[in-house]
Every structure is written in C-alpha cells, then in structure tokens.
Amino acid sequence: MKNRQLLINAALVIGVLIIMITTGCKKNNNISGDQEPGKETNPVVKLPDSILFVGTGTMDSTVIYLLNAATGTLVTKYNYPRDAQSTWCVPLVGNGFLYSVEENKINALNINTGAVIWTDSIKSRYSFPPVLHNDTFYGVFTNAPGLNCVVYGLDATKQSNTFLWQYQLSDYYKSINYYNGIIYISGSNLTALDAKTGALKWTLNGPYSLSSLNNGIIISGNTFIDANTGTQVGVVSPSLVVSNNSQTTSIVYATKSIFFTRVTKFMTPLTYSQLNAYDVSTGSLKWNINGGGGYLGSDTLKTVYQIWNNQPILKTTLSLSAGKYGSVKTVNYSELDMDTGQLKWSYTAGFGGQDFTVNNTLYSYGTFTLNLAAGIPASSSIVAADLYTGRQKWTKNNLYVPNGGSVAVCLLAGGRGYSVYMQ
C-alpha cells in the first residue's frame, strides 16, 4: 500500500511538472501562480494572527510573500528593486521588525507595510545567511568564497556602524548554529565561540555531527560531547558502530536516554541500511527497522530528524523520476513509536529543502529546477502538516520563483518568530 502511494505521489509530481512546462513559461523564465512581483500591491492594514513570510525573488525584484499561516492563502507581498549583489533573501522577524536579510545587507522593515526603516551593510563581497537570536545576528562573511572567513555579532535592534565583535576563522565555513549562549561554526573542525564576546571557548577536531545540538549533545564518532563544554560525556561500544569494507555505521541522533545508529551495507550499485534504537544507559537494542537504501545509497536513506512529543520523527529524501527531465527530490516524514519502532503515520511533502517545527505543525519548503539548457523555470512548494496525525494542513506551490531560485520561510505567531535561522 505504501509503495502504491509513493507511485501515486510520483505521478502527481510529474503531472504537475508537465503542466508547468507546457503552460507556465513566462517572461524571464519564471512561473507565476499569483500576481507577478513588481506590480502594485496595497499595504496590509491588519495582518492575520499568524503569518508566514516567504522570501524569494525574480530577475529584477526581491519579494517577500505574506501567507496566512493557518490556511496558506496569499495575503499580500512586499516588492523591492533587485540588488545586483544579492542572490538570496531570508525573511526573519523579531524586535518589532520584519528583516529582509540579503547577501551583504540586512533591511529592517515595517511588518504591516513592508517599508524599509533602516539598512545595515555587512561590508563584504560575500556573506552567508546569519542566525538571529533575540537581539543579535550571528553570521559569517568573506571577500573570497570559503577563505578568510570572519564570524560576527551584529546588533539587530538598530542600524549599526560596527559589529559587536568579530572572530577571524582559520578554517573554511560550512554552517553556523546558536545554542545556549554559544555560536558553533562548522568546517573541517568545529569552533565554539562565546555569543556575547566572540571569544574562543573550545574546538573539536575530527568527525562530528550537530544533529542533536538542541539536546545539548554533539556526536563525534562513537562518543557524545557536551555541547556547552566540549568535553566527552559518553561512549558507545565500538561493537555497535562497526565500519569496514562491506558496511558503514554511524550514530545519526542522540538524546540523554536513547541513540540511533544507521548501518549501511554496500551491495553495488544498490545499498541497504538498518536503523537501530539503543538505550543509552544499558547499550541494549530497543528495536530496529529497515533504514532505506537505493542506488549508491542516495535515494531513500532514513534519518531521525527530531524527537517530538517523545516520539522519533524520521525524514527520508525520495528521488522520483521526472522522465526525460531527470528526477525530482521530494521528502517523506514519518513518526514511529518510541518503544517499538512501529510506524504511526507517514506522508510525502513537497520538494526537499529545509523545515522547522512550531507547536504541532511541521513546515517544510524547497524548490526544484529542471536541468535543461533552455532553462525551464523553477517550482517551489511549502507544506504545513499536523504532527499528531501526519495530515497535511495545506500546500502552497504556485509562488513566483526564478529559474535556479530558492525560498526561505519565517513564521510569526503569538508575537514570536520561528525559522531555521532563528535559534
């Protein structure tokens, strides 16, 4: 039944793509569902109780869509002339502002009208999306991609002429995270900085994973590292994480009471994996399930995305055929029973990308561009789903996105902001 549903979902995706290709080509290689950016839109006087801000752009405009977060319907949008140096737009909300964070600058906007109140320049040729924690932006910039990176703290409450602090990074840059007063910079090594001062706290050499950072745990090989101190607080028996010529084993997620490993067996060109759940205190196996597999292991490997309501939520990237146009990467979410590993619900969302959870709702979003020399336009999808039932509340897939473009999403609900980049 599950395979049949996946085939149905694949057929629906392919059907949508075909419709888009044959009927959706617009000027500047874009697909338009709602009114095109650049046309006049009346300012919003009263916004819904919960708003989803979606940042994207066209060839000549930066656009922030405002959706009703309860229904996914378009409320309005804010348009801005495209900055030639900006290649992305991340909306964030906090401190009474809606921020439009772009490459090399941050605009503070009036939430109700979209009017620009002030602008801060990052003063660099290249910058990366920062994270916002309370009244401070934490980010990384450089004048040469991947080289001479500088980590910074920046006041988010007002226009600033200087950074709160800067730290010269001797490593290359992959990502930035905030947790419990510490900034974590991922590269070949993990660098931990004090969020208030930018002072170096500690570094971790070698392999590591931040999948369990929100649980206060960093995974390094078969050891658990305290995220605050950088010291080892636990060891998994080497017999549970065996890697050799025929298989690899890795710890994919951990809490203080349970951890999960994935054993991937190589059977070229296909792979097979098993997802195991172990009790931390005893090291005993609680349960295991089929962990997915596929061609060279890239198609359907399951991983533990988070523990929600004391239940593991799994995330699986699916590669579905789009005929002569290649393949479509979509994402499947499922919930398991913590004690038995039995499947409770499963659903396939839109295109694979980023996601975050607010209360009992999981928001996922991404884009897909067909890889043709003619430049077939991009498609985006935003999905809101109920984590109690696995039922989709709404789906939005007709926002205006440029070829090769992306979307970034932020939620304002109950006066509080939520985003992948708000930590």
Side-chain angles (χ1 to χ4, degrees), residues 264-273 291-302 316-320 327 329:
T264 303
K265 298 183 180 297
F266 303 112
M267 296 175 286
T268 306
L270 300 178
T271 64
Y272 166 79
S273 72
Y295 182 72
L296 297 180
S298 63
D299 292 342
T300 60
L301 287 181
K302 300 179 175 69
T316 309
T317 300
L318 305 174
S319 181
L320 303 177
S327 62
K329 294 290 186 182

Side-chain angles (χ1 to χ4, degrees), residues 173-229:
Y173 169 80
K174 289 175 60 178
S175 65
I176 185 169
N177 293 87
Y178 174 95
Y179 174 75
N180 199 28
I182 299 178
I183 298 299
Y184 302 87
I185 309 298
S186 299
S188 59
N189 302 316
L190 183 64
T191 302
L193 306 177
D194 184 277
K196 289 189 177 297
T197 66
L200 177 66
K201 294 181 70 70
W202 50 265
T203 59
L204 178 63
N205 300 325
Y208 62 87
S209 168
L210 299 183
S211 64
S212 307
L213 180 61
N214 288 337
N215 299 319
I217 296 172
I218 296 169
I219 300 169
S220 179
N222 69 321
T223 64
F224 298 140
I225 306 297
D226 184 282
N228 293 302
T229 64

Side-chain angles (χ1 to χ4, degrees), residues 146-159:
L147 301 174
N148 301 315
C149 292
V150 177
V151 188
Y152 66 83
L154 180 66
D155 192 332
T157 65
K158 64 180 186 296
Q159 188 177 33

Side-chain angles (χ1 to χ4, degrees), residues 45 63 76 98 111 131 135 163 177 227 252 292 320 330 336 343 358 364 370-371 388:
V45 177
V63 183
T76 189
L98 167 63
I111 294 178
V131 296
D135 59 0
F163 295 109
N177 293 87
V252 295
L320 303 177
T330 64
L336 305 182
L343 179 67
V358 180
S364 57
L370 295 177
N371 187 19
Y388 283 114

Side-chain angles (χ1 to χ4, degrees), residues 385-397:
D386 189 320
L387 285 176
Y388 283 114
T389 63
R391 294 177 180 173
Q392 296 184 26
K393 296 181 177 181
W394 55 262
T395 299
K396 189 76 171 176
N397 56 16

Side-chain angles (χ1 to χ4, degrees), residues 72-215:
T73 55
L74 178 68
V75 178
T76 189
K77 57 181 169 291
Y78 301 147
N79 297 334
Y80 309 92
R82 184 73 174 216
D83 188 321
Q85 291 185 317
S86 293
T87 58
W88 42 263
C89 171
V90 174
L92 299 173
V93 64
N95 306 299
F97 301 109
L98 167 63
Y99 301 101
S100 172
V101 182
E102 302 177 39
E103 196 166 13
N104 308 317
K105 69 178 181 179
I106 298 173
N107 295 317
L109 314 174
N110 182 304
I111 294 178
N112 294 287
T113 66
V116 179
I117 300 173
W118 50 259
T119 298
D120 256 343
S121 172
I122 305 301
K123 304 180 180 68
S124 73
R125 186 178 178 187
Y126 303 100
S127 67
F128 306 92
V131 296
L132 174 64
H133 179 75
N134 293 339
D135 59 0
T136 307
F137 287 108
Y138 300 100
V140 176
F141 69 83
T142 180
N143 288 317
L147 301 174
N148 301 315
C149 292
V150 177
V151 188
Y152 66 83
L154 180 66
D155 192 332
T157 65
K158 64 180 186 296
Q159 188 177 33
S160 307
N161 293 320
T162 60
F163 295 109
L164 296 173
W165 53 259
Q166 296 182 64
Y167 179 86
Q168 183 69 51
L169 197 66
S170 59
D171 196 5
Y172 68 84
Y173 169 80
K174 289 175 60 178
S175 65
I176 185 169
N177 293 87
Y178 174 95
Y179 174 75
N180 199 28
I182 299 178
I183 298 299
Y184 302 87
I185 309 298
S186 299
S188 59
N189 302 316
L190 183 64
T191 302
L193 306 177
D194 184 277
K196 289 189 177 297
T197 66
L200 177 66
K201 294 181 70 70
W202 50 265
T203 59
L204 178 63
N205 300 325
Y208 62 87
S209 168
L210 299 183
S211 64
S212 307
L213 180 61
N214 288 337
N215 299 319

